[in-house]
Amino acid sequence: MSSIKIECVLPENCRCGESPVWEESSNSLLFVDIPAKKVCRWNLLTNQVQRMTVDTPVSSVALRQSGGYVATVGTKFCALNWEDQSVVVLATVDKDKKNNRFNDGKVDPAGRYFAGTMAEETAPAVLERHQGSLYSLFPDHHVKKYFDQVDISNGLDWSLDHKIFYYIDSLSYSVDAFDYNLQTGQISNRRSVYKLEKDEQIPDGMCIDTEGKLWVACYNGGRVIRLDPETGKRLQTVKLPVDKTTSCCFGGKDYSEMYVTCARDGMDSESLLRQPEAGGIFKITGLGVKGIAPYPYAG
């Protein structure tokens, strides 16, 4: 077992860092700071961070096949042009729910952008329940709604054979699986593949590795855990020096490095003194497994 190294590589002080995505072409890590309404692009070669501010909370970002990016901004699926900092709305959801916003999102292997909503929080993880839904934006810009009654729509990814969709509704304290039809984007047969233990706290963002195992960031748990979705067993726990770990992705050379986002919002001054790197971007090396490249939105 190689020795695992954990370091804060970017002291960004995110209020709520989320949605890390590796962009191989620019050797950069994309991520968002939800309440700060910022999409960030950190170039690892130059160590420069470029930031784009939007007009409402931005909860996820993804690559776009035709260039630029897509993001979930408020309750809108948007296209982002990095060069001129412009935002084009592709679709809007939850029009009847003025207090809702998108949360985590990710593109499926066929180029559809999946993302779910939630009610705006009054404090971290405190919100009106069952207000959210799961959606996907197809390449032709039409939106499909899968189900509602969601508390906090969160981590998502697909099995390596593209036959299973994994999904987290945070307050269910469960990682769920669905049968997945790549051709149609349909999901069915929901079941739980892992229930979080008390000290693991709240399941948040998620990604898959090349062995088909899931990595889940545990909000308030200060860790990422590696799960086997077939056996329902936890295989590994990697603890970080911050409590509010929010999401994770693989990136860097050969996708062998893991990047983890975290949050500062909801921490008192004493906690912030104890955890000065809260809100930073962390890199974990030596895990001995690799991830897969993110899929770009095809529209």
Side-chain angles (χ1 to χ4, degrees):
M1 202 50 197
S2 52
S3 64
I4 293 173
K5 183 181 174 194
I6 301 159
E7 56 181 326
C8 180
V9 284
L10 186 68
E12 182 69 6
N13 284 346
C14 289
R15 289 179 55 192
C16 185
E18 264 285 2
S19 186
V21 180
W22 181 253
E23 184 177 43
E24 202 172 322
S25 63
S26 65
N27 214 69
S28 299
L29 185 76
L30 292 156
F31 59 95
V32 301
D33 185 348
I34 301 178
K37 307 173 186 173
K38 277 194 293 220
V39 182
C40 305
R41 185 171 71 180
W42 171 44
N43 184 312
L44 275 76
L45 295 176
T46 64
N47 202 33
Q48 284 187 308
V49 183
Q50 296 174 307
R51 300 169 185 87
M52 178 171 168
T53 304
V54 293
D55 60 358
T56 38
V58 53
S59 60
S60 74
V61 63
L63 310 180
R64 190 181 188 189
Q65 209 169 290
S66 59
Y69 308 107
V70 282
T72 48
V73 183
T75 51
K76 297 175 171 70
F77 284 108
C78 296
L80 306 183
N81 182 323
W82 200 264
E83 271 51 61
D84 66 7
Q85 305 266 299
S86 63
V87 179
V88 175
V89 177
L90 304 177
T92 306
V93 305
D94 286 2
K95 290 177 185 166
D96 57 328
K97 299 200 167 174
K98 295 294 175 229
N99 195 39
N100 274 20
R101 67 164 174 83
F102 268 118
N103 201 36
D104 208 352
K106 191 172 282 184
V107 176
D108 83 350
R112 305 175 191 97
Y113 190 8
F114 275 66
T117 57
M118 59 183 280
E120 191 61 82
E121 297 162 304
T122 51
V126 179
L127 73 166
E128 187 182 352
R129 298 191 60 169
H130 312 308
Q131 297 304 302
S133 299
L134 180 68
Y135 297 95
S136 72
L137 179 72
F138 279 58
D140 65 1
H141 299 179
H142 92 268
V143 173
K144 180 174 175 60
K145 179 177 175 176
Y146 292 96
F147 50 82
D148 52 20
Q149 299 295 309
V150 173
D151 287 322
I152 301 178
S153 193
N154 236 320
L156 53 176
D157 218 330
W158 290 265
S159 62
L160 301 180
D161 65 4
H162 307 159
K163 288 181 177 169
I164 301 171
F165 168 58
Y166 298 111
Y167 175 71
I168 291 168
D169 179 353
S170 288
L171 298 188
S172 70
Y173 297 91
S174 170
V175 179
D176 291 354
F178 295 79
D179 296 342
Y180 186 65
N181 184 318
L182 183 65
Q183 270 57 53
T184 63
Q186 292 284 13
I187 61 176
S188 58
N189 187 26
R190 186 175 189 167
R191 65 260 182 204
S192 174
V193 293
Y194 183 78
K195 287 278 190 203
L196 274 84
E197 293 172 16
K198 204 167 174 56
D199 65 336
E200 289 168 344
Q201 297 283 344
I202 303 173
D204 202 331
M206 169 168 63
C207 67
I208 199 164
D209 65 29
T210 54
E211 295 173 11
K213 308 299 187 273
L214 300 173
W215 291 83
V216 178
C218 300
Y219 182 83
N220 286 342
R223 67 192 71 186
V224 290
I225 54 176
R226 187 181 190 225
L227 313 174
D228 185 334
E230 289 180 12
T231 64
K233 298 267 188 294
R234 183 184 67 241
L235 305 172
Q236 192 176 353
T237 299
V238 180
K239 294 197 173 171
L240 287 89
V242 289
D243 287 338
K244 294 187 180 294
T245 35
T246 55
S247 194
C248 51
C249 78
F250 284 93
K253 189 171 153 31
D254 316 325
Y255 292 91
S256 61
E257 303 165 344
M258 177 176 275
Y259 290 92
V260 181
T261 51
C262 61
R264 296 169 70 82
D265 271 13
M267 295 175 68
D268 59 26
S269 50
E270 190 190 339
S271 305
L272 287 168
L273 279 172
R274 269 203 322 272
Q275 298 177 24
E277 295 168 325
I281 304 292
F282 286 80
K283 180 171 81 168
I284 305 175
T285 50
L287 288 172
V289 289
K290 293 177 180 176
I292 57 170
Y295 301 105
Y297 174 61

Coordinates of all heavy atoms in Angstrom, one line a residue, residues 1 158-161 166 207-215 226-230 235-236 250 255 287-292:
M1 N 0.9 -1.2 0.0 CA 0.0 0.0 0.0 C 0.9 1.2 0.0 O 1.7 1.4 0.9 CB -0.9 -0.1 1.3 CG -2.1 0.7 1.3 SD -3.2 0.5 -0.1 CE -4.2 2.0 0.1
W158 N -21.9 7.2 -12.6 CA -22.4 6.0 -13.3 C -21.4 4.9 -13.3 O -20.1 5.1 -13.2 CB -22.6 6.4 -14.8 CG -23.8 7.3 -14.9 CD1 -25.1 7.0 -15.2 CD2 -23.8 8.7 -14.7 NE1 -25.9 8.1 -15.2 CE2 -25.2 9.2 -14.9 CE3 -22.9 9.7 -14.4 CZ2 -25.5 10.5 -14.8 CZ3 -23.2 11.0 -14.2 CH2 -24.6 11.4 -14.4
S159 N -21.8 3.7 -13.3 CA -20.9 2.5 -13.2 C -20.1 2.5 -14.5 O -20.5 3.1 -15.5 CB -21.7 1.2 -13.1 OG -22.6 1.0 -14.2
L160 N -19.0 1.7 -14.5 CA -18.1 1.7 -15.6 C -18.7 1.1 -16.8 O -18.4 1.5 -18.0 CB -16.8 0.9 -15.2 CG -16.1 1.5 -14.0 CD1 -14.8 0.7 -13.8 CD2 -15.7 3.0 -14.2
D161 N -19.7 0.2 -16.7 CA -20.4 -0.4 -17.8 C -21.6 0.4 -18.2 O -22.4 0.0 -19.1 CB -20.8 -1.9 -17.6 CG -21.8 -2.0 -16.5 OD1 -22.3 -1.0 -15.9 OD2 -22.1 -3.2 -16.1
Y166 N -25.6 5.9 -9.8 CA -25.5 6.0 -8.4 C -25.9 7.4 -8.0 O -25.5 8.4 -8.7 CB -24.1 5.8 -7.9 CG -23.6 4.3 -8.2 CD1 -22.6 4.1 -9.2 CD2 -24.1 3.3 -7.5 CE1 -22.2 2.8 -9.5 CE2 -23.7 2.0 -7.8 CZ -22.8 1.7 -8.8 OH -22.4 0.5 -9.1
C207 N -17.6 10.3 -6.5 CA -17.0 9.9 -7.8 C -16.7 8.5 -7.8 O -16.6 7.8 -6.8 CB -15.8 10.8 -8.2 SG -14.4 10.6 -7.1
I208 N -16.4 7.9 -9.0 CA -16.1 6.5 -9.2 C -14.6 6.4 -9.6 O -14.1 7.3 -10.3 CB -17.1 5.9 -10.2 CG1 -17.1 4.4 -10.1 CG2 -16.8 6.3 -11.7 CD1 -18.3 3.7 -10.8
D209 N -14.0 5.2 -9.3 CA -12.6 5.0 -9.7 C -12.6 3.9 -10.8 O -13.7 3.3 -11.1 CB -11.7 4.6 -8.5 CG -12.1 3.4 -7.8 OD1 -12.6 2.4 -8.4 OD2 -11.8 3.3 -6.6
T210 N -11.5 3.6 -11.3 CA -11.4 2.6 -12.5 C -11.6 1.2 -12.0 O -11.7 0.3 -12.9 CB -10.0 2.7 -13.1 OG1 -9.0 2.5 -12.2 CG2 -9.8 4.0 -13.8
E211 N -11.8 1.0 -10.7 CA -12.1 -0.4 -10.3 C -13.6 -0.5 -10.0 O -14.1 -1.5 -9.5 CB -11.3 -0.7 -9.0 CG -9.8 -0.9 -9.3 CD -9.0 -1.0 -8.1 OE1 -9.5 -1.3 -7.0 OE2 -7.7 -1.0 -8.2
G212 N -14.4 0.6 -10.3 CA -15.8 0.6 -10.1 C -16.3 0.8 -8.7 O -17.4 0.7 -8.4
K213 N -15.3 1.3 -7.9 CA -15.7 1.6 -6.5 C -16.0 3.1 -6.3 O -15.5 3.9 -7.1 CB -14.5 1.3 -5.5 CG -14.0 -0.2 -5.7 CD -15.0 -1.2 -5.4 CE -14.4 -2.6 -5.4 NZ -14.4 -3.3 -6.7
L214 N -16.9 3.4 -5.4 CA -17.3 4.8 -5.2 C -16.6 5.5 -4.1 O -16.3 4.9 -3.0 CB -18.8 4.8 -4.9 CG -19.7 4.2 -5.9 CD1 -21.2 4.1 -5.4 CD2 -19.7 4.9 -7.2
W215 N -16.3 6.7 -4.3 CA -15.7 7.6 -3.3 C -16.7 8.7 -2.9 O -17.2 9.4 -3.8 CB -14.4 8.3 -3.8 CG -13.3 7.3 -4.0 CD1 -13.1 6.5 -5.1 CD2 -12.2 7.0 -3.1 NE1 -12.0 5.7 -5.0 CE2 -11.4 6.0 -3.8 CE3 -11.8 7.5 -1.9 CZ2 -10.2 5.5 -3.2 CZ3 -10.7 7.0 -1.3 CH2 -9.9 6.0 -1.9
R226 N -14.3 5.1 0.7 CA -14.4 4.3 -0.6 C -15.3 3.1 -0.3 O -15.1 2.4 0.7 CB -13.0 3.8 -1.0 CG -13.0 3.1 -2.3 CD -11.6 2.6 -2.6 NE -11.5 2.1 -4.0 CZ -10.9 1.0 -4.4 NH1 -10.3 0.2 -3.5 NH2 -10.8 0.7 -5.7
L227 N -16.3 2.9 -1.2 CA -17.3 1.9 -1.0 C -17.3 0.9 -2.2 O -17.0 1.3 -3.3 CB -18.7 2.6 -1.0 CG -18.9 3.8 -0.1 CD1 -20.3 4.4 -0.3 CD2 -18.7 3.4 1.4
D228 N -17.7 -0.3 -1.9 CA -17.9 -1.3 -2.9 C -19.4 -1.4 -3.1 O -20.1 -1.9 -2.2 CB -17.4 -2.7 -2.5 CG -17.5 -3.7 -3.7 OD1 -18.4 -3.5 -4.5 OD2 -16.7 -4.6 -3.7
P229 N -20.0 -0.8 -4.2 CA -21.4 -0.8 -4.3 C -22.0 -2.2 -4.5 O -23.2 -2.4 -4.4 CB -21.6 0.1 -5.6 CG -20.4 0.0 -6.3 CD -19.3 -0.2 -5.3
E230 N -21.2 -3.2 -4.9 CA -21.7 -4.5 -5.1 C -21.9 -5.3 -3.8 O -22.9 -6.0 -3.6 CB -20.8 -5.3 -6.0 CG -21.0 -4.8 -7.5 CD -20.1 -5.5 -8.5 OE1 -19.5 -6.6 -8.1 OE2 -20.0 -5.0 -9.6
L235 N -14.6 0.2 2.1 CA -13.2 -0.4 1.9 C -12.1 0.4 2.5 O -11.1 -0.1 2.9 CB -13.0 -0.6 0.4 CG -14.0 -1.4 -0.4 CD1 -13.7 -1.3 -1.9 CD2 -14.0 -2.8 0.0
Q236 N -12.4 1.7 2.6 CA -11.3 2.6 3.0 C -11.9 3.9 3.5 O -12.9 4.4 3.0 CB -10.4 2.9 1.8 CG -9.1 3.6 2.1 CD -8.2 3.7 0.9 OE1 -8.5 3.2 -0.2 NE2 -7.1 4.4 1.0
F250 N -11.2 12.8 -9.3 CA -9.9 12.4 -9.7 C -9.4 13.3 -10.8 O -10.2 13.8 -11.6 CB -9.8 11.0 -10.2 CG -9.9 10.0 -9.1 CD1 -11.1 9.4 -8.7 CD2 -8.7 9.6 -8.4 CE1 -11.2 8.5 -7.7 CE2 -8.8 8.6 -7.3 CZ -10.0 8.1 -7.0
Y255 N -5.1 10.8 -13.9 CA -6.2 10.8 -13.0 C -5.9 10.0 -11.7 O -6.7 9.3 -11.2 CB -7.5 10.2 -13.7 CG -8.0 11.2 -14.8 CD1 -7.6 11.1 -16.1 CD2 -8.9 12.2 -14.4 CE1 -8.0 12.0 -17.0 CE2 -9.3 13.1 -15.4 CZ -8.9 13.0 -16.7 OH -9.3 13.9 -17.6
L287 N -3.2 7.0 -3.3 CA -4.4 6.2 -3.1 C -4.2 4.8 -3.8 O -4.9 3.8 -3.4 CB -5.7 6.9 -3.6 CG -6.1 8.0 -2.7 CD1 -7.3 8.7 -3.4 CD2 -6.5 7.6 -1.3
G288 N -3.4 4.8 -4.8 CA -3.2 3.5 -5.5 C -4.3 3.1 -6.5 O -4.3 2.0 -7.0
V289 N -5.2 4.1 -6.7 CA -6.3 3.9 -7.7 C -6.4 5.1 -8.5 O -6.0 6.2 -8.1 CB -7.7 3.5 -7.1 CG1 -7.7 2.1 -6.5 CG2 -8.1 4.5 -6.1
K290 N -7.0 5.0 -9.7 CA -7.2 6.1 -10.6 C -8.6 6.4 -10.8 O -9.5 5.5 -10.6 CB -6.5 5.9 -11.9 CG -4.9 5.9 -11.7 CD -4.2 5.5 -13.0 CE -2.7 5.5 -12.8 NZ -2.0 5.1 -14.1
G291 N -8.9 7.6 -11.3 CA -10.3 7.9 -11.7 C -10.5 7.9 -13.2 O -9.5 7.5 -13.9
I292 N -11.6 8.3 -13.6 CA -11.9 8.4 -15.1 C -12.1 9.8 -15.5 O -12.6 10.6 -14.6 CB -13.1 7.5 -15.5 CG1 -14.4 7.8 -14.8 CG2 -12.7 6.0 -15.3 CD1 -15.6 7.1 -15.3

